[in-house]
Amino acid sequence: MKKDIILAGVGGQGILSIATIIGEAATLSGLFLKQAEVHGMSQRGGDVQSNLRLSDERIYSDLIRKGTVDLIIAMEPMEALRYVDCLSNDSVVVTSSRPFVNIPNYPEDIQEQITRFMEANPGIRFVQADIEEMAKDNKIPRSANVILLGMAASYLDILTADQLRKAVGCVFASKGDAVVEANYKAFDLGMSVILQE
């Protein structure tokens, strides 16, 4: 079994933290892992993208071929759309529904573009939620990215939710119990979004 994932977002949103958590979960569960990151514009406001490949067999390349991506996890809807041409026909996109307007010509019709894409590609599933609002409402404003990871957990079928949750604890352990608990709460919130669908 293998899973090819693109993580996408804007610098400062926590995309690379999501990659670290998934990588930790893969390592703890004995999976093979390859990762390639694009940091060129990763200062706050620039785009960030990471290829993450997980498998129970050896992986020889860290780059994912176009048309074979199983899952996009995006902190921002335009960044999700940036990589949809990489998806396979039966893949999933899990994204924040709230735009992060960081450029003057940010498209005003981003949700209409997503709707048009979904209509043209019925085999691809788009899952969205306002994770920033959820994080704010639950007094964990710095954990929106972990809410997104919780939403994506059920589509990361090569890893269990328990493995991912354990990795959340490992990754944030050095920051103290309060941070770990906040991120457990965020992960569980994200999972509850999918259960309510």
Side-chain angles (χ1 to χ4, degrees), residues 95-114:
T95 183
S96 172
S97 60
R98 181 182 292 191
F100 183 95
V101 181
N102 59 336
I103 53 174
N105 60 342
Y106 190 98
E108 292 180 13
D109 67 339
I110 194 70
Q111 288 303 323
E112 289 85 356
Q113 288 185 40
I114 289 171

Side-chain angles (χ1 to χ4, degrees), residues 111-122:
Q111 288 303 323
E112 289 85 356
Q113 288 185 40
I114 289 171
T115 300
R116 286 195 299 273
F117 175 80
M118 289 169 63
E119 288 168 352
N121 299 275

Side-chain angles (χ1 to χ4, degrees), residues 152-185:
S154 62
Y155 305 108
L156 280 163
D157 48 7
I158 196 165
L159 292 165
T160 67
D162 287 342
Q163 289 168 325
L164 287 164
R165 198 171 192 280
K166 181 177 180 183
V168 167
C170 292
V171 167
F172 292 107
S174 65
K175 298 186 183 246
D177 291 346
V179 173
V180 170
E181 288 305 317
N183 283 286
Y184 281 154
K185 180 178 182 180

Side-chain angles (χ1 to χ4, degrees), residues 92-96 125-129 148 151 155 193-194 197:
V92 180
V93 178
V94 179
T95 183
S96 172
R125 184 161 183 211
F126 240 92
V127 179
Q128 298 184 81
L148 187 70
M151 288 173 57
Y155 305 108
V193 169
I194 301 305
E197 279 199 330

